[in-house]
Amino acid sequence: MSEAVQSIKLDQFLKWVGAVNTGGEAKILIQYGEVAVNGEVETRRGRKLVDGDVVFAQGQSYQVELPGDDVMM
């Protein structure tokens, strides 16, 4: 059996780490090309992030480290 890969959507991740206060704020940053994932500008707010991805937003970089067994969608 294969294990499910844990992931979180980019807009949710930005809220989770405190880079933005609201989903609307995340949407705007992403749409205007102000967010990068692994060094590449990302304009899809639904982009799935996995452990080890690096997100750059608001002058900060954040490494994705998802908790335990819970799959985030």
Side-chain angles (χ1 to χ4, degrees):
M1 283 208 177
S2 64
E3 293 182 27
V5 175
Q6 292 183 359
S7 65
I8 185 171
K9 291 181 183 175
L10 178 57
D11 59 348
Q12 293 173 334
F13 179 77
L14 291 173
K15 288 191 323 186
W16 185 47
V17 297
V20 297
N21 293 316
T22 67
E25 199 177 331
K27 177 182 176 180
I28 290 168
L29 279 181
I30 295 165
Q31 282 182 336
Y32 286 119
E34 297 183 23
V35 177
V37 177
N38 300 327
E40 299 286 328
V41 172
E42 182 56 72
T43 58
R44 298 170 295 161
R45 66 182 183 165
R47 158 79 185 261
K48 300 242 182 185
L49 304 173
V50 296
D51 276 339
D53 283 342
V54 177
V55 177
F56 186 81
Q58 304 280 65
Q60 299 262 57
S61 79
Y62 306 91
Q63 183 157 359
V64 178
E65 294 179 18
L66 298 175
D69 296 328
D70 297 331
V71 175
M72 302 181 128
M73 296 290 211

